[in-house]
Amino acid sequence: MHLASKLSLLLTIALVVQASLFGSSKTESAENANARAKLSEGWEFVTAGSTIKLAHTKTSTRLMLPQVSYGTGSQQQAITAFTDTSSTKALWLVEQPDVARGTPVGCGSQVRLVNSDSGHSLHSHANHKAPISGAQEVSGFDGRDSGDLWSVECSDGAELWLREMPVYLRHVETGRYLQSLAAKKYRQPIVGHQEVSGGKKPDTNAQWTAMEGYYFARNK
């Protein structure tokens, strides 16, 4: 067995033992433990105040606000998923009111995601349909209200939002999941951008992973 594999296995065992010793009701999966092992201690979590890029796990695109308005529905800013991983339009500030910067985001907690390029909040509403799929519209809203809140739903027993591990983002007001469908793509003026919408269920179209960005280390 290679040294890296041995270290990964030892870390996995140690984390499971620690959860048992401290009476945790959840046991961290080997996959989550391996994800933590890849990142330096203190930097393995998504934390309040960090600015991140969210990868659509199924298509490796990035959640983006291309600064184009919808021609239908709310006529707010369109939200897309696109292949340009270097664009600043894909950077999102993780806001949690009354939470100290650097505090790991807990699974099940609510966040507001604010596009750092435009200042618009990731938003959704039940009374407008996405222009291609007809699912619930997701938009960029120039303001703050309860339609901007998203609940982070983790998997495999995780209690904190881990970087480089898929999560679901459930819209608090409507219960719909942030999703993107590979076959639903725009033409002009945002050719090749995938539509992002609110889906009814947490499936592979609704998995998102925190990847590149500017992260604050975990508070001690």
Side-chain angles (χ1 to χ4, degrees), residues 32-116:
N32 284 349
N34 287 336
R36 291 184 62 182
K38 294 178 184 177
L39 300 164
S40 300
E41 184 178 356
W43 297 92
E44 64 266 49
F45 302 106
V46 177
T47 53
S50 294
T51 301
I52 68 175
K53 291 184 179 181
L54 284 168
H56 184 239
T57 310
K58 190 172 183 177
T59 61
S60 298
T61 52
R62 298 297 185 269
L63 185 71
M64 190 170 295
L65 191 152
Q67 297 187 16
V68 172
S69 298
Y70 288 124
T72 59
S74 69
Q75 299 187 341
Q76 294 175 4
Q77 292 287 301
I79 300 295
T80 66
F82 192 53
T83 54
D84 185 359
T85 60
S86 64
S87 176
T88 59
K89 295 177 181 179
L91 285 168
W92 298 88
L93 172 66
V94 181
E95 284 190 355
Q96 283 193 296
D98 304 318
V99 174
R101 188 173 66 184
T103 302
V105 176
C107 299
S109 63
Q110 296 177 13
V111 298
R112 176 178 281 114
L113 297 170
V114 180
N115 187 264
S116 66

Side-chain angles (χ1 to χ4, degrees), residues 165-184:
M165 286 300 297
V167 298
Y168 301 105
L169 294 170
R170 181 177 58 81
H171 190 239
V172 174
E173 273 197 346
T174 65
R176 296 299 175 97
Y177 289 86
L178 189 72
Q179 68 172 11
S180 185
L181 306 175
K184 306 298 182 182

